[in-house]
Amino acid sequence: MRLLPFILLVFALKLNSQVDRIEPPNWWIGMENPNLEIMLYGKDIGYLKPETKAKGVKIREFSCPENKNYLFIELNFSSGCQPGPVPINLMKGEEIATTINYPLKSRMLDSQKRLGYNSSDVIYLITPDRFANGDPKNDNVDGMLEVSNRKSKDGRHGGDIEGIRQHLDYIEELGVTSIWINPLLENNMPAYSYHGYAITDFYKVDPRMGNNEAFKKLCDDAHTWGLKVIIDGILNHCGSMHWWMKDPPTRDWINYYDQPYVETNHRKTLEQDPYAAPEDLEILEKGWFVKTMPDLNVTNPKLATYLVQNTIWWMEYSGADGIRMDTYLYPEQNFSTAWSKAIMAEYPNINITGEVWHEQPSILSYWQKGKENTNKYKSHLPSLFDFPLQAALNKSLTTDNSWGQGWIYLYETLALDFEYPNPNNLVVFADNHDMSRIYAQLGESAAKVKLAMAYILTIRGIPEIYYGTEVLMSSPRSRDDGKARGDLPGGWNGDLINAFTGKGLSAEQKAMQQYLIKILKWRKGASAVQSGKTLHYVPEKGIYVYFRYNDEQKIMVVLNKNEEAQKLDPNRFKKTIDISTKGIEIISGKSISLDGPFQVPAMSAMIIECK
Ligand code: CA
């Protein structure tokens, strides 16, 4: 008698055994695009024919690629369709070989209306393996190829989603308003997987980071703290251990699949270069990023749709507020803009920041929405990382004050803002996870880090601060990712120094934390900094002065990179900007008389709110 349920279970498993994967794993009713492509994977599944009688659900078409282990079903949802499982029979001739019950949910209330991040926000960038180990039990998980090794700079250190969740209070207290988290999806690679950019399953959070539900909970909890969440997306490549690699749908799914290795040339001028050799452009777009990251062929329409839907799935599932898109110019450019357009159609008020790592605004601006390009390329990407300004900031603070040096780098780079359709929607930063830490770049001078932070927090754009800057985390001066992405002190049990509680921090570290808190909290109410106009004056004698202003507020920023205090005469600026006779310097809280020359302390910033 007890055998019967067991036999039924085995029978049911046998019937369903043909479908090993269904992606996306579910969908929602009420999306802007009423169509959905489902990818089914299973032995010989491509020979089956899908049918459904579900109300409001139509199979527009189905197809089996050259690999018979895949079946693509193109669905259309109309107004009559209801949330719940959609039964789809997979027919072998007249017989039902198996039935899948595809989960269809109602779209979250106001999902489409969600607001993204903008220049009223400040982003805190987190490398999750290195921020805090909230759950030591998930440091090693059966089936995962790489085990944790905190002793190795390139190993997995055990940081996770729970670690971030437990410290949302700290992040909020710092005064930032958004978190951008480096990729959390499964990276089941044999080595060097902690960074997260070699995805082996596009629909699954890496179990060493937590799970899908934990990520959703993190987004929910962040929202209750008033923090926005920015997902780190990757469209250009997957990890070489991705399950596609053993059995891809088509031979062209992966560029240079089963062919001699071709690496991308990383030449970011190619899309715009009037003299570019077509074969060079092809290598940029189709060459692999590195050997462990095979290049996805986004010109395959099935894969293109898969990737668009994957981003939408994570946005809809998690309730996140925006996207940082990795290696934005590496995939074929018509795909990139189609992707941006499709995401923005579902979430018209969010923001997406693309990574185009180039130091020329003319190269960068090509990719921003609204740019009139000579070759007629029309981008739908709203935001970019301001790499030109990042490079200029570094040079400004590491060169002397002679002609053409020092602040002139920042002054002349900002002057090129005429290239951008929307400079205020660029993300400004001093460092990120792909370079040496700002403290190291600036020769471990806390005073210079403060100058850099004062600049990014008051100039136009959306500031981003890399985690650990607030406690002056350092790295080698030349790029060494494993070391630059160090463990935040206090994130691991037994840490003697603790950034969260302040325990063991040096006076200089504590001062840096307080410095950031001061400016960040003030910035939350500084409308002139968030969205005001900018007016800057030619830097003189190591001092750079600029104003951020609107009808309500006038902010005067004075950056002094001299080793000595300097006198500054505000009368130079009064011809154009009506600054009153008095101001409050918001870092020190001191009153400043603007009637005549005032003292600017050595190697420091003054942020003066004119009264
Ligand atoms: Ca852990």
Side-chain angles (χ1 to χ4, degrees):
M1 266 168 50
R2 280 192 182 173
L3 266 180
L4 191 59
F6 178 72
I7 290 165
L8 282 175
L9 181 69
V10 169
F11 186 61
L13 282 175
K14 196 166 169 16
L15 269 182
N16 283 309
S17 65
Q18 286 166 310
V19 186
D20 295 330
R21 285 179 183 269
I22 303 175
E23 295 187 348
N26 71 278
W27 204 247
W28 294 268
I29 299 173
M31 303 303 287
E32 191 65 20
N33 180 357
N35 297 327
L36 177 70
E37 168 190 290
I38 305 178
M39 185 178 83
L40 302 184
Y41 178 66
K43 181 104 181 82
D44 291 334
I45 204 164
Y47 293 107
L48 304 179
K49 182 185 171 202
E51 286 182 1
T52 186
K53 293 194 173 95
K55 196 172 164 232
V57 182
K58 195 170 90 186
I59 295 176
R60 291 161 58 229
E61 58 174 75
F62 63 93
S63 59
C64 167
E66 58 205 47
N67 181 343
K68 300 303 171 200
N69 295 333
Y70 288 84
L71 181 64
F72 288 90
I73 307 175
E74 312 291 335
L75 295 178
N76 172 273
F77 305 115
S78 60
S79 53
C81 109
Q82 298 294 319
V86 173
I88 300 173
N89 293 330
L90 300 180
M91 309 297 291
K92 194 173 188 175
E94 298 301 309
E95 307 254 304
I96 297 174
T98 187
T99 299
I100 55 166
N101 287 300
Y102 190 73
L104 199 55
K105 300 179 179 178
S106 293
R107 199 174 182 189
M108 235 188 328
L109 191 68
D110 293 336
S111 169
Q112 198 170 16
K113 292 184 189 160
R114 78 182 70 167
L115 299 175
Y117 54 96
N118 56 38
S119 54
S120 70
D121 289 300
V122 177
I123 300 167
Y124 188 65
L125 165 59
I126 293 172
T127 301
D129 184 60
R130 306 296 170 86
F131 183 70
N133 189 358
D135 181 7
K137 292 198 296 296
N138 67 14
D139 292 2
N140 289 300
V141 173
D142 286 350
M144 294 289 112
L145 299 173
E146 187 180 2
V147 296
S148 71
N149 179 9
R150 203 179 165 206
K151 291 202 179 96
S152 162
K153 71 181 172 74
D154 294 328
R156 298 191 73 104
H157 291 192
D160 47 36
I161 291 172
E162 179 60 15
I164 300 171
R165 202 188 64 80
Q166 288 172 1
H167 296 293
L168 289 170
D169 55 346
Y170 170 80
I171 296 168
E172 194 272 342
E173 183 57 29
L174 204 53
V176 297
T177 65
S178 305
I179 48 174
W180 153 26
I181 309 166
N182 285 150
L184 292 164
L185 301 189
E186 186 193 89
N187 270 234
N188 197 5
M189 302 288 289
Y192 195 57
S193 67
Y194 78 90
H195 51 73
Y197 288 96
I199 294 173
T200 55
D201 188 331
F202 280 98
Y203 280 99
K204 188 179 162 199
V205 162
D206 194 292
R208 294 159 294 189
M209 291 288 164
N211 55 31
N212 292 8
E213 292 76 20
F215 178 59
K216 181 171 169 40
K217 182 162 172 50
L218 174 69
C219 291
D220 290 345
D221 285 9
H223 290 156
T224 64
W225 281 100
L227 298 167
K228 298 170 183 174
V229 179
I230 302 168
I231 292 176
D232 198 331
I234 307 148
L235 302 169
N236 180 63
H237 48 260
C238 61
S240 53
M241 297 299 283
H242 190 288
W243 56 275
W244 282 333
M245 294 303 286
K246 283 188 185 147
D247 195 27
T250 59
R251 307 305 287 177
D252 79 348
W253 199 257
I254 304 290
N255 288 315
Y256 299 111
Y257 183 76
D258 267 358
Q259 290 172 47
Y261 177 67
V262 176
E263 192 159 288
T264 179
N265 49 33
H266 298 279
R267 295 293 162 199
K268 292 152 193 171
T269 49
L270 277 162
E271 278 102 341
Q272 295 163 74
D273 182 351
Y275 315 117
E279 49 270 55
D280 286 342
L281 179 60
E282 185 169 317
I283 290 173
L284 168 76
E285 291 175 347
K286 298 189 170 171
W288 292 19
F289 198 76
V290 288
K291 271 197 168 151
T292 51
M293 297 177 187
D295 197 78
L296 298 171
N297 177 14
V298 297
T299 64
N300 179 312
K302 292 271 185 282
L303 178 53
T305 303
Y306 178 97
L307 293 168
V308 167
Q309 290 182 171
N310 180 253
T311 307
I312 294 170
W313 191 88
W314 280 107
M315 286 298 291
E316 199 62 27
Y317 172 80
S318 67
D321 306 275
I323 301 159
R324 177 266 181 184
M325 186 44 69
D326 187 59
T327 49
Y328 190 79
L329 64 53
Y330 287 79
E332 201 274 326
Q333 58 180 328
N334 290 328
F335 163 74
S336 305
T337 198
W339 173 87
S340 292
K341 192 179 179 186
I343 306 308
M344 294 309 291
E346 298 295 350
Y347 310 98
N349 305 313
I350 66 152
N351 209 354
I352 307 174
T353 303
E355 181 204 30
V356 173
W357 191 340
H358 200 278
E359 294 177 9
Q360 295 292 338
S362 53
I363 298 299
L364 214 64
S365 59
Y366 175 85
W367 301 93
Q368 192 175 35
K369 186 186 173 179
K371 178 76 175 183
E372 303 267 341
N373 286 310
T374 314
N375 67 1
K376 307 287 180 221
Y377 179 69
K378 198 174 170 211
S379 181
H380 288 275
L381 179 73
S383 166
L384 288 143
F385 289 98
D386 199 339
F387 281 96
L389 217 55
Q390 182 274 325
L393 181 59
N394 176 307
K395 282 190 211 158
S396 283
L397 288 165
T398 52
T399 56
D400 63 30
N401 298 330
S402 57
W403 177 261
Q405 301 254 67
W407 295 122
I408 297 300
Y409 289 108
L410 272 185
Y411 176 76
E412 293 195 344
T413 304
L414 198 71
L416 303 179
D417 267 10
F418 61 82
E419 297 271 12
Y420 300 106
N422 187 0
N424 205 34
N425 204 24
L426 299 173
V427 172
V428 289
F429 60 104
D431 62 356
N432 67 17
H433 60 296
D434 285 330
M435 52 184 73
S436 61
R437 282 190 168 266
I438 186 60
Y439 186 49
Q441 288 182 37
L442 301 179
E444 305 209 331
S445 158
K448 285 186 177 178
V449 174
K450 286 179 180 169
L451 275 169
M453 292 297 113
Y455 179 74
I456 67 161
L457 292 172
T458 54
I459 203 63
R460 96 290 185 269
I462 311 164
E464 169 253 292
I465 300 171
Y466 194 29
Y467 81 95
T469 304
E470 72 274 22
V471 289
L472 297 168
M473 277 175 65
S474 199
S475 70
R477 201 158 177 171
S478 56
R479 185 170 171 177
D480 184 338
D481 289 344
K483 287 186 177 166
R485 304 163 186 167
D487 297 347
L488 186 75
W492 277 253
N493 285 333
D495 282 0
L496 298 175
I497 298 171
N498 192 321
F500 302 116
T501 63
K503 191 183 122 195
L505 290 179
S506 69
E508 203 170 44
Q509 287 175 310
K510 281 185 183 165
M512 190 68 220
Q513 272 183 330
Q514 289 310 312
Y515 186 84
L516 280 172
I517 288 170
K518 193 92 189 185
I519 303 178
L520 285 163
K521 293 210 161 156
W522 167 80
R523 194 186 186 279
K524 285 183 178 183
S527 63
V529 170
Q530 294 174 12
S531 56
K533 292 177 182 168
T534 303
L535 174 75
H536 66 165
Y537 285 81
V538 174
E540 286 180 356
K541 295 177 186 154
I543 294 187
Y544 185 17
V545 176
Y546 57 91
F547 292 85
R548 302 299 315 281
Y549 64 102
N550 59 19
D551 290 344
E552 286 85 49
Q553 208 179 23
K554 285 193 191 83
I555 312 295
M556 177 184 186
V557 182
V558 183
L559 305 175
N560 177 15
K561 68 184 282 282
N562 292 289
E563 300 287 351
E564 311 81 32
Q566 301 284 318
K567 277 254 187 285
L568 182 73
D569 187 350
N571 287 312
R572 180 184 170 201
F573 318 112
K574 286 186 175 172
K575 198 171 172 187
T576 301
I577 191 147
D578 177 23
I579 43 176
S580 49
T581 55
K582 223 172 68 179
I584 301 283
E585 201 287 308
I586 67 100
I587 305 164
S588 63
K590 285 183 184 157
S591 221
I592 305 276
S593 168
L594 300 171
D595 276 336
F598 60 88
Q599 189 87 349
V600 185
M603 198 61 77
S604 68
M606 293 177 86
I607 302 174
I608 302 165
E609 204 169 332
C610 305
K611 289 294 161 196

